[in-house]
Amino acid sequence: MATRDLTVKFSSLREQTARSVRSPSLDDSNLLNNAQGGWNGGGHDQLPPMWVDLVDQVDDDVRNIKSMMAKLENLHGERVNNIFDKDLKGRDREIEQLTSSITGKFRHAEQLLKRIGRASEPGQTLSPAEVKVRAAIQSSNASKIQQISAAFRKLQQKYLTDVSAQKSGNDSQFGVDLMSGGGGEGGVGFTDQQMAVVDDLEGIVNERDEEIQNIAQSIEELSTIFKELAVLVIDQGTILDRIDFNMEQVVEHTKEGIKQLEKAEQHQKSARPLKCIGCLLVMIAVMLTILILKHR
Amino acid sequence: MKTLLLDPSTTQSVSVSLSKTNANAQELYLIDLLGKPQQAVGGMKALIYVRPTIENVEMICREVREANYSEYHVFFSNILPESFLSLLAKSDSDKLIRQVHEYPLDYVPINKDLFTINIGGSVGMSQCWGTSRERGVQTIMERELQGLLSMFLSFKKPIQTVIASAEPACQYIASEVIRRSQEDDIYVFRSSRPTQLLVVDRSSDPVTPLLSQWTYQAMVHELLGMNNNRVILKGAPGVKQDLEEVVLASVHDPFYDANKFSNFGELGENIKGLLDEYQKETRQNQNISTIADMQRFMERYPAFRSQSHNVSKHVALMGELARLVDVCQLMDVSAFEQELACTDAHAEHLRELVEKLANPSIKTPDKVRLGLLYALRYENTGNVSMVKQHMSNGGVPPDKIALVDTMLRYAGSKSRAPGLYGKRDTFSALKKNLISSVQGVANVYSQHVPLLAETIKGAFRGRVPEHMKAYKGGGELPKDLFIYMVGGTTYEEARMVAEFNRENEKNGLRVILGGSTIHNSCSFLDEVRAL
């Protein structure tokens, strides 16, 4: 697309008009004008509302999650590739911690998003524009988080399958070892050495199981978040995703509102309640006179 | 956080190219019309994208003075006159406007090779020329010119050769395009591909918009009406509430993109394939027994949901189209329409026409179209007044019958450019007959080829019809051909252009088709009636 930037031309034009408006003789007044202009300009910058902080926090969360995920991926890789590492446990713990803190961040971000939808300072009614902005922010951030969480779950799953594949591989390896060892002894019993191996293996297996369970749990947690976010996300390609449709909806709503207001006004104006009251008053007076006449 | 402020015209062009989700992802959280009272939300910037008209510029000035936003970034969809710029500069005493840019996109892109200005009432432009109504169409003409010029800018193509049909509106557009592009150096581009602009008038081919259509995009437009890719299904029997209005856009809907030019039969088959795929997916989602299955389901869920919407959309559309075809007996009507459009056989046609006009189960609008097609073909040799009588007997109201005369005035053999029904000599007729008898007719419902096909082929060979006049350049054969149809184009022509582009991709030839609007028979006849 051939575009043209008119900003420079515009600025110089603006300077020109500004100069011609201000008195060119006095430098001081010029300065004063400048200062005033600056102040006026500043005056329009209202303080952003509270919930903007929340949006910033969500952004922070997203950024953190991304960097943490990169780190986690590295750790996963190292963990899967170096099974003979001495410090397996420490590494596992590290992975576990990182995973749970990422899940925590996801939950945090999701709660923040919910709050963006709700939060309003007490005693303040929201303008429709603000409501719309918040809804838009919610849905766009929700889809962002959804994408990342899908990526995260994929990462987890890959690790899970890698680890369990390794586990089963190891088991069969050791299993063969055991069998052959057992065969040598004539199947009478296990030597101490073998027992030690079995103990060790059991320990490792238990640990792995725990690990896998942890991961499965975190995946499950994520999927609930995912489900809750899905409500907020608008499907691409539907009529709800059309800009003009949304703008028309606003107009429709406004029209509807005006209609309702007019109706209300009519109701207010209409003399029916007044007539009723008058009628009742007359009736009461009549009844009273009848009562008085009767009791005389 | 940003707000996007649009005007009604840029709303259209932005809406077809940008979805709300896309906009939100760019931190455009609020999208509104310029000039509506703005409620300030603290800390937001405003992005304004409007056409450079005096009304819009004044609204921007007012908005900047009110300063509802902390800063303004102003973009125009076309070339901004200098006077407007200084007007803006005067109002911006607080220096809130951070940038002013021209991003020329003063039209609505529909397909890859089809655009529309979306302005009605341009059918009669050539007829109004030189009469008292000329001033009324001047604004329309101006709008079309601006849209056309902006298209060259957004494609970054120089205006090298301009050829225009003989109608006064086309001539005017051609000469103005040349004049204006020479005034501003923004129109200068370096291009190794010779570019040609061809301006033609709708009146040269009044037949194409009158025919029933059988390809998806064209059919939806003809039977349901399509407005900037939006289709209203409300009122169709058995349509769910979330499908009362649907979007058919190639960008978000790969199935539609692949099938918009498929004919009705193919479409039915493809939709069935889509449905099968969906059913397979559903079955997969049904047997969830392990956690792994659950996880897999969660992963697929968003895609599955949008797929489900997509499938039900196409099924609903197809259902409604099929219902209309059935109710209006379109198979029958369309076969005869094609006959009327393509072959010369007066006695036979007259007999069948009278039969069709008397048939009570054929709807009135279809009778009108048949009558018009007959009148256009046998204007001089046939018995038009008798057909009108039969139309009236068949229940066509008098104002619709009057359309016959209006149509003949608009695009009869005297007023339209020659070439609509081919050369009327025995030799070419014989040749045509021979070809069709040897090759056979592939599809009765798609025999008709728009006149534009002939024109396009001629233009790439450097042989344009005699009535067209070259305004500028010439010599070199074009590689990029821009066609602008004054009075509106149709989806049938768009399909033909798309097909041409696909076939000639390896030759490096490309056609871009544009029009004042995109007609179906209904909108076309409405405009003709207003003449």
Short mmCIF file of all heavy atoms in Angstrom, two decimals, chain A residues 176-232:
data_model
loop_
_atom_site.label_atom_id
_atom_site.label_comp_id
_atom_site.label_asym_id
_atom_site.label_seq_id
_atom_site.Cartn_x
_atom_site.Cartn_y
_atom_site.Cartn_z
N VAL A 176 14.85 -57.23 32.93
CA VAL A 176 15.65 -58.26 32.29
C VAL A 176 16.85 -58.60 33.15
O VAL A 176 17.19 -59.76 33.39
CB VAL A 176 16.10 -57.81 30.88
CG1 VAL A 176 17.15 -58.74 30.33
CG2 VAL A 176 14.89 -57.76 29.97
N ASP A 177 17.45 -57.53 33.68
CA ASP A 177 18.59 -57.73 34.58
C ASP A 177 18.24 -58.68 35.71
O ASP A 177 18.94 -59.64 35.99
CB ASP A 177 19.01 -56.39 35.18
CG ASP A 177 20.16 -55.81 34.39
OD1 ASP A 177 20.75 -56.58 33.58
OD2 ASP A 177 20.47 -54.64 34.59
N LEU A 178 17.12 -58.36 36.34
CA LEU A 178 16.69 -59.14 37.48
C LEU A 178 16.47 -60.59 37.10
O LEU A 178 16.92 -61.50 37.78
CB LEU A 178 15.38 -58.58 38.03
CG LEU A 178 15.50 -57.44 39.05
CD1 LEU A 178 14.13 -56.99 39.47
CD2 LEU A 178 16.34 -57.89 40.24
N MET A 179 15.76 -60.76 36.00
CA MET A 179 15.44 -62.12 35.57
C MET A 179 16.71 -62.93 35.36
O MET A 179 16.84 -64.04 35.85
CB MET A 179 14.63 -62.09 34.26
CG MET A 179 13.19 -61.61 34.44
SD MET A 179 12.38 -62.40 35.80
CE MET A 179 11.33 -63.48 34.86
N SER A 180 17.62 -62.31 34.64
CA SER A 180 18.83 -63.06 34.33
C SER A 180 19.60 -63.36 35.61
O SER A 180 20.09 -64.47 35.81
CB SER A 180 19.71 -62.29 33.34
OG SER A 180 20.11 -61.07 33.94
N GLY A 181 19.60 -62.35 36.51
CA GLY A 181 20.27 -62.57 37.79
C GLY A 181 19.62 -63.71 38.53
O GLY A 181 20.28 -64.63 39.06
N GLY A 182 18.27 -63.66 38.56
CA GLY A 182 17.52 -64.69 39.27
C GLY A 182 17.79 -66.08 38.69
O GLY A 182 17.93 -67.06 39.41
N GLY A 183 17.86 -66.10 37.36
CA GLY A 183 18.10 -67.38 36.68
C GLY A 183 19.42 -68.01 37.11
O GLY A 183 19.52 -69.21 37.32
N GLY A 184 20.38 -67.15 37.31
CA GLY A 184 21.70 -67.62 37.70
C GLY A 184 21.66 -68.30 39.06
O GLY A 184 22.36 -69.28 39.31
N GLU A 185 20.85 -67.81 39.94
CA GLU A 185 20.79 -68.36 41.30
C GLU A 185 19.89 -69.57 41.40
O GLU A 185 19.65 -70.08 42.48
CB GLU A 185 20.28 -67.28 42.27
CG GLU A 185 21.28 -66.17 42.54
CD GLU A 185 22.48 -66.64 43.34
OE1 GLU A 185 22.28 -67.37 44.34
OE2 GLU A 185 23.63 -66.33 42.96
N GLY A 186 19.30 -69.95 40.26
CA GLY A 186 18.42 -71.10 40.28
C GLY A 186 17.06 -70.79 40.83
O GLY A 186 16.30 -71.67 41.18
N GLY A 187 16.72 -69.53 40.93
CA GLY A 187 15.36 -69.12 41.31
C GLY A 187 15.08 -69.38 42.78
O GLY A 187 13.93 -69.47 43.19
N VAL A 188 16.10 -69.54 43.61
CA VAL A 188 15.85 -69.82 45.02
C VAL A 188 15.44 -68.57 45.78
O VAL A 188 14.49 -68.55 46.53
CB VAL A 188 17.09 -70.46 45.68
CG1 VAL A 188 16.82 -70.76 47.13
CG2 VAL A 188 17.52 -71.69 44.91
N GLY A 189 16.17 -67.54 45.57
CA GLY A 189 15.85 -66.29 46.30
C GLY A 189 16.71 -65.18 45.78
O GLY A 189 17.50 -65.37 44.85
N PHE A 190 16.54 -63.99 46.34
CA PHE A 190 17.31 -62.85 45.88
C PHE A 190 18.52 -62.67 46.78
O PHE A 190 18.45 -62.89 47.99
CB PHE A 190 16.46 -61.59 45.94
CG PHE A 190 15.28 -61.67 45.00
CD1 PHE A 190 13.98 -61.61 45.48
CD2 PHE A 190 15.50 -61.81 43.63
CE1 PHE A 190 12.92 -61.68 44.62
CE2 PHE A 190 14.42 -61.89 42.78
CZ PHE A 190 13.13 -61.82 43.25
N THR A 191 19.58 -62.27 46.16
CA THR A 191 20.73 -61.90 46.96
C THR A 191 20.47 -60.53 47.57
O THR A 191 19.56 -59.81 47.16
CB THR A 191 21.99 -61.81 46.10
OG1 THR A 191 21.77 -60.79 45.13
CG2 THR A 191 22.29 -63.14 45.43
N ASP A 192 21.30 -60.20 48.52
CA ASP A 192 21.18 -58.88 49.14
C ASP A 192 21.32 -57.79 48.09
O ASP A 192 20.60 -56.79 48.11
CB ASP A 192 22.25 -58.69 50.20
CG ASP A 192 21.93 -59.51 51.44
OD1 ASP A 192 20.80 -60.05 51.47
OD2 ASP A 192 22.79 -59.61 52.31
N GLN A 193 22.28 -58.07 47.22
CA GLN A 193 22.54 -57.06 46.19
C GLN A 193 21.28 -56.80 45.36
O GLN A 193 20.89 -55.67 45.12
CB GLN A 193 23.66 -57.55 45.28
CG GLN A 193 24.40 -56.41 44.65
CD GLN A 193 25.42 -56.94 43.65
OE1 GLN A 193 25.65 -58.16 43.56
NE2 GLN A 193 26.06 -56.06 42.92
N GLN A 194 20.65 -57.93 44.97
CA GLN A 194 19.43 -57.80 44.15
C GLN A 194 18.34 -57.07 44.92
O GLN A 194 17.63 -56.23 44.38
CB GLN A 194 18.94 -59.18 43.73
CG GLN A 194 19.68 -59.67 42.50
CD GLN A 194 19.32 -61.07 42.16
OE1 GLN A 194 18.98 -61.86 43.04
NE2 GLN A 194 19.41 -61.40 40.88
N MET A 195 18.22 -57.45 46.20
CA MET A 195 17.21 -56.78 47.01
C MET A 195 17.45 -55.27 47.03
O MET A 195 16.51 -54.46 46.94
CB MET A 195 17.24 -57.31 48.46
CG MET A 195 16.65 -58.70 48.62
SD MET A 195 14.98 -58.82 48.00
CE MET A 195 14.12 -58.15 49.41
N ALA A 196 18.70 -54.93 47.15
CA ALA A 196 19.03 -53.50 47.18
C ALA A 196 18.60 -52.82 45.89
O ALA A 196 18.02 -51.73 45.89
CB ALA A 196 20.54 -53.32 47.40
N VAL A 197 18.87 -53.55 44.78
CA VAL A 197 18.49 -52.99 43.48
C VAL A 197 16.98 -52.78 43.43
O VAL A 197 16.49 -51.74 43.01
CB VAL A 197 18.95 -53.92 42.33
CG1 VAL A 197 18.32 -53.47 41.01
CG2 VAL A 197 20.45 -53.91 42.22
N VAL A 198 16.26 -53.81 43.92
CA VAL A 198 14.80 -53.72 43.90
C VAL A 198 14.33 -52.53 44.73
O VAL A 198 13.48 -51.75 44.31
CB VAL A 198 14.16 -55.03 44.43
CG1 VAL A 198 12.67 -54.84 44.65
CG2 VAL A 198 14.40 -56.14 43.45
N ASP A 199 14.90 -52.39 45.92
CA ASP A 199 14.53 -51.27 46.77
C ASP A 199 14.74 -49.95 46.06
O ASP A 199 13.86 -49.08 46.03
CB ASP A 199 15.36 -51.29 48.06
CG ASP A 199 14.77 -52.27 49.06
OD1 ASP A 199 13.64 -52.75 48.76
OD2 ASP A 199 15.40 -52.53 50.09
N ASP A 200 15.95 -49.85 45.50
CA ASP A 200 16.28 -48.62 44.78
C ASP A 200 15.25 -48.34 43.70
O ASP A 200 14.73 -47.23 43.59
CB ASP A 200 17.66 -48.75 44.11
CG ASP A 200 18.74 -48.24 45.02
OD1 ASP A 200 18.38 -47.87 46.16
OD2 ASP A 200 19.91 -48.21 44.60
N LEU A 201 14.98 -49.40 42.94
CA LEU A 201 14.07 -49.23 41.82
C LEU A 201 12.70 -48.80 42.29
O LEU A 201 12.09 -47.90 41.72
CB LEU A 201 13.92 -50.56 41.06
CG LEU A 201 14.98 -50.81 40.01
CD1 LEU A 201 14.73 -52.14 39.34
CD2 LEU A 201 14.97 -49.69 38.99
N GLU A 202 12.26 -49.44 43.37
CA GLU A 202 10.95 -49.08 43.88
C GLU A 202 10.89 -47.60 44.24
O GLU A 202 9.94 -46.89 43.92
CB GLU A 202 10.61 -49.92 45.10
CG GLU A 202 9.55 -50.95 44.78
CD GLU A 202 9.32 -51.87 45.95
OE1 GLU A 202 9.59 -51.48 47.10
OE2 GLU A 202 8.84 -52.97 45.69
N GLY A 203 11.97 -47.19 44.89
CA GLY A 203 12.04 -45.76 45.26
C GLY A 203 11.90 -44.89 44.03
O GLY A 203 11.09 -43.96 43.99
N ILE A 204 12.68 -45.25 43.00
CA ILE A 204 12.67 -44.43 41.78
C ILE A 204 11.28 -44.44 41.15
O ILE A 204 10.74 -43.39 40.77
CB ILE A 204 13.72 -44.95 40.77
CG1 ILE A 204 15.11 -44.67 41.29
CG2 ILE A 204 13.53 -44.28 39.42
CD1 ILE A 204 16.21 -45.31 40.51
N VAL A 205 10.69 -45.66 41.11
CA VAL A 205 9.38 -45.79 40.48
C VAL A 205 8.36 -44.93 41.23
O VAL A 205 7.57 -44.21 40.62
CB VAL A 205 8.94 -47.26 40.45
CG1 VAL A 205 7.46 -47.37 40.09
CG2 VAL A 205 9.76 -48.02 39.44
N ASN A 206 8.40 -45.01 42.55
CA ASN A 206 7.46 -44.22 43.33
C ASN A 206 7.61 -42.74 43.04
O ASN A 206 6.64 -42.01 42.84
CB ASN A 206 7.67 -44.46 44.82
CG ASN A 206 7.07 -45.79 45.24
OD1 ASN A 206 6.26 -46.34 44.48
ND2 ASN A 206 7.49 -46.31 46.37
N GLU A 207 8.87 -42.32 43.02
CA GLU A 207 9.12 -40.91 42.76
C GLU A 207 8.54 -40.49 41.43
O GLU A 207 7.87 -39.47 41.31
CB GLU A 207 10.63 -40.68 42.72
CG GLU A 207 11.15 -39.91 43.92
CD GLU A 207 12.65 -39.95 43.92
OE1 GLU A 207 13.23 -39.54 42.88
OE2 GLU A 207 13.24 -40.41 44.90
N ARG A 208 8.82 -41.32 40.43
CA ARG A 208 8.35 -41.01 39.09
C ARG A 208 6.83 -40.92 39.07
O ARG A 208 6.24 -40.03 38.46
CB ARG A 208 8.80 -42.08 38.10
CG ARG A 208 10.25 -42.07 37.81
CD ARG A 208 10.56 -41.01 36.76
NE ARG A 208 11.99 -40.88 36.61
CZ ARG A 208 12.70 -41.67 35.84
NH1 ARG A 208 12.12 -42.64 35.19
NH2 ARG A 208 13.99 -41.50 35.74
N ASP A 209 6.22 -41.89 39.76
CA ASP A 209 4.77 -41.91 39.80
C ASP A 209 4.24 -40.60 40.36
O ASP A 209 3.33 -39.98 39.80
CB ASP A 209 4.27 -43.06 40.66
CG ASP A 209 4.03 -44.28 39.80
OD1 ASP A 209 4.05 -44.10 38.56
OD2 ASP A 209 3.83 -45.37 40.35
N GLU A 210 4.86 -40.20 41.43
CA GLU A 210 4.44 -38.97 42.09
C GLU A 210 4.55 -37.81 41.11
O GLU A 210 3.64 -36.99 40.96
CB GLU A 210 5.35 -38.73 43.28
CG GLU A 210 4.63 -38.18 44.50
CD GLU A 210 5.56 -38.23 45.68
OE1 GLU A 210 5.71 -39.32 46.30
OE2 GLU A 210 6.19 -37.19 45.95
N GLU A 211 5.70 -37.82 40.45
CA GLU A 211 5.98 -36.75 39.51
C GLU A 211 4.91 -36.68 38.42
O GLU A 211 4.34 -35.63 38.14
CB GLU A 211 7.32 -37.08 38.87
CG GLU A 211 8.02 -35.96 38.20
CD GLU A 211 9.32 -36.50 37.67
OE1 GLU A 211 10.08 -37.16 38.42
OE2 GLU A 211 9.55 -36.33 36.48
N ILE A 212 4.63 -37.88 37.88
CA ILE A 212 3.64 -37.93 36.81
C ILE A 212 2.29 -37.48 37.32
O ILE A 212 1.56 -36.72 36.66
CB ILE A 212 3.56 -39.36 36.23
CG1 ILE A 212 4.82 -39.63 35.43
CG2 ILE A 212 2.33 -39.53 35.35
CD1 ILE A 212 4.94 -41.03 34.92
N GLN A 213 1.97 -37.88 38.55
CA GLN A 213 0.69 -37.48 39.11
C GLN A 213 0.62 -35.96 39.24
O GLN A 213 -0.40 -35.34 38.92
CB GLN A 213 0.54 -38.11 40.48
CG GLN A 213 -0.87 -38.61 40.71
CD GLN A 213 -0.83 -39.96 41.33
OE1 GLN A 213 -0.18 -40.14 42.36
NE2 GLN A 213 -1.48 -40.92 40.71
N ASN A 214 1.74 -35.40 39.71
CA ASN A 214 1.78 -33.94 39.85
C ASN A 214 1.47 -33.25 38.53
O ASN A 214 0.67 -32.33 38.46
CB ASN A 214 3.17 -33.50 40.31
CG ASN A 214 3.27 -33.56 41.82
OD1 ASN A 214 2.25 -33.53 42.50
ND2 ASN A 214 4.48 -33.70 42.31
N ILE A 215 2.15 -33.75 37.51
CA ILE A 215 1.97 -33.12 36.21
C ILE A 215 0.54 -33.26 35.74
O ILE A 215 -0.08 -32.31 35.26
CB ILE A 215 2.95 -33.73 35.19
CG1 ILE A 215 4.36 -33.30 35.55
CG2 ILE A 215 2.60 -33.26 33.79
CD1 ILE A 215 5.41 -33.94 34.73
N ALA A 216 0.00 -34.49 35.93
CA ALA A 216 -1.38 -34.71 35.50
C ALA A 216 -2.31 -33.76 36.22
O ALA A 216 -3.24 -33.19 35.62
CB ALA A 216 -1.78 -36.15 35.79
N GLN A 217 -2.01 -33.54 37.49
CA GLN A 217 -2.86 -32.64 38.26
C GLN A 217 -2.80 -31.22 37.70
O GLN A 217 -3.82 -30.55 37.53
CB GLN A 217 -2.38 -32.66 39.70
CG GLN A 217 -3.47 -32.24 40.67
CD GLN A 217 -2.93 -32.20 42.08
OE1 GLN A 217 -1.86 -32.77 42.36
NE2 GLN A 217 -3.65 -31.54 42.95
N SER A 218 -1.58 -30.80 37.40
CA SER A 218 -1.45 -29.43 36.90
C SER A 218 -2.17 -29.29 35.56
O SER A 218 -2.77 -28.26 35.27
CB SER A 218 0.01 -29.03 36.80
OG SER A 218 0.57 -29.50 35.62
N ILE A 219 -2.13 -30.35 34.77
CA ILE A 219 -2.84 -30.30 33.50
C ILE A 219 -4.33 -30.15 33.74
O ILE A 219 -5.02 -29.36 33.10
CB ILE A 219 -2.56 -31.56 32.65
CG1 ILE A 219 -1.14 -31.50 32.12
CG2 ILE A 219 -3.54 -31.67 31.51
CD1 ILE A 219 -0.77 -32.65 31.25
N GLU A 220 -4.81 -30.90 34.73
CA GLU A 220 -6.23 -30.84 35.02
C GLU A 220 -6.65 -29.44 35.47
O GLU A 220 -7.65 -28.89 35.02
CB GLU A 220 -6.55 -31.85 36.11
CG GLU A 220 -7.82 -32.60 35.87
CD GLU A 220 -7.85 -33.84 36.72
OE1 GLU A 220 -6.95 -34.68 36.57
OE2 GLU A 220 -8.74 -33.94 37.54
N GLU A 221 -5.82 -28.88 36.36
CA GLU A 221 -6.12 -27.53 36.83
C GLU A 221 -6.20 -26.56 35.67
O GLU A 221 -7.10 -25.73 35.57
CB GLU A 221 -5.03 -27.07 37.79
CG GLU A 221 -5.31 -27.44 39.23
CD GLU A 221 -4.13 -27.09 40.10
OE1 GLU A 221 -3.37 -26.18 39.73
OE2 GLU A 221 -3.97 -27.76 41.13
N LEU A 222 -5.22 -26.72 34.78
CA LEU A 222 -5.19 -25.82 33.64
C LEU A 222 -6.45 -25.95 32.80
O LEU A 222 -6.97 -24.98 32.29
CB LEU A 222 -3.99 -26.14 32.76
CG LEU A 222 -2.73 -25.44 33.17
CD1 LEU A 222 -1.61 -25.87 32.27
CD2 LEU A 222 -2.91 -23.94 33.09
N SER A 223 -6.93 -27.20 32.70
CA SER A 223 -8.08 -27.38 31.81
C SER A 223 -9.32 -26.70 32.37
O SER A 223 -10.15 -26.21 31.63
CB SER A 223 -8.32 -28.85 31.53
OG SER A 223 -8.77 -29.48 32.68
N THR A 224 -9.42 -26.64 33.72
CA THR A 224 -10.56 -25.89 34.26
C THR A 224 -10.44 -24.41 33.92
O THR A 224 -11.42 -23.76 33.52
CB THR A 224 -10.66 -26.03 35.79
OG1 THR A 224 -9.36 -26.01 36.33
CG2 THR A 224 -11.43 -27.26 36.20
N ILE A 225 -9.23 -23.90 34.08
CA ILE A 225 -9.01 -22.50 33.72
C ILE A 225 -9.39 -22.27 32.27
O ILE A 225 -10.08 -21.33 31.90
CB ILE A 225 -7.54 -22.10 33.94
CG1 ILE A 225 -7.21 -22.13 35.43
CG2 ILE A 225 -7.26 -20.73 33.36
CD1 ILE A 225 -5.77 -21.82 35.74
N PHE A 226 -8.93 -23.22 31.47
CA PHE A 226 -9.16 -23.16 30.04
C PHE A 226 -10.65 -23.07 29.73
O PHE A 226 -11.12 -22.26 28.95
CB PHE A 226 -8.59 -24.45 29.46
CG PHE A 226 -8.38 -24.44 28.00
CD1 PHE A 226 -7.35 -23.70 27.46
CD2 PHE A 226 -9.17 -25.19 27.17
CE1 PHE A 226 -7.13 -23.71 26.11
CE2 PHE A 226 -8.95 -25.19 25.82
CZ PHE A 226 -7.93 -24.45 25.29
N LYS A 227 -11.41 -23.93 30.44
CA LYS A 227 -12.84 -23.97 30.20
C LYS A 227 -13.49 -22.64 30.57
O LYS A 227 -14.34 -22.12 29.87
CB LYS A 227 -13.45 -25.11 31.02
CG LYS A 227 -14.35 -26.00 30.20
CD LYS A 227 -15.08 -27.00 31.05
CE LYS A 227 -14.18 -28.06 31.62
NZ LYS A 227 -14.84 -29.06 32.45
N GLU A 228 -13.05 -22.12 31.71
CA GLU A 228 -13.65 -20.87 32.16
C GLU A 228 -13.32 -19.73 31.21
O GLU A 228 -14.12 -18.83 30.98
CB GLU A 228 -13.18 -20.53 33.58
CG GLU A 228 -13.99 -21.30 34.61
CD GLU A 228 -13.38 -21.23 35.98
OE1 GLU A 228 -12.45 -20.43 36.19
OE2 GLU A 228 -13.84 -21.98 36.85
N LEU A 229 -12.11 -19.78 30.66
CA LEU A 229 -11.72 -18.72 29.73
C LEU A 229 -12.47 -18.83 28.42
O LEU A 229 -12.77 -17.84 27.77
CB LEU A 229 -10.22 -18.77 29.46
CG LEU A 229 -9.33 -18.34 30.60
CD1 LEU A 229 -7.89 -18.42 30.17
CD2 LEU A 229 -9.66 -16.93 31.03
N ALA A 230 -12.81 -20.07 28.06
CA ALA A 230 -13.43 -20.29 26.75
C ALA A 230 -14.72 -19.50 26.62
O ALA A 230 -15.11 -19.09 25.54
CB ALA A 230 -13.71 -21.76 26.54
N VAL A 231 -15.39 -19.27 27.75
CA VAL A 231 -16.63 -18.50 27.73
C VAL A 231 -16.37 -17.08 27.24
O VAL A 231 -17.19 -16.47 26.56
CB VAL A 231 -17.25 -18.48 29.13
CG1 VAL A 231 -18.57 -17.76 29.12
CG2 VAL A 231 -17.41 -19.89 29.65
N LEU A 232 -15.19 -16.58 27.61
CA LEU A 232 -14.90 -15.18 27.30
C LEU A 232 -14.45 -14.98 25.86
O LEU A 232 -14.55 -13.89 25.32
CB LEU A 232 -13.81 -14.67 28.22
CG LEU A 232 -14.16 -14.61 29.71
CD1 LEU A 232 -12.94 -14.26 30.52
CD2 LEU A 232 -15.25 -13.58 29.93
#
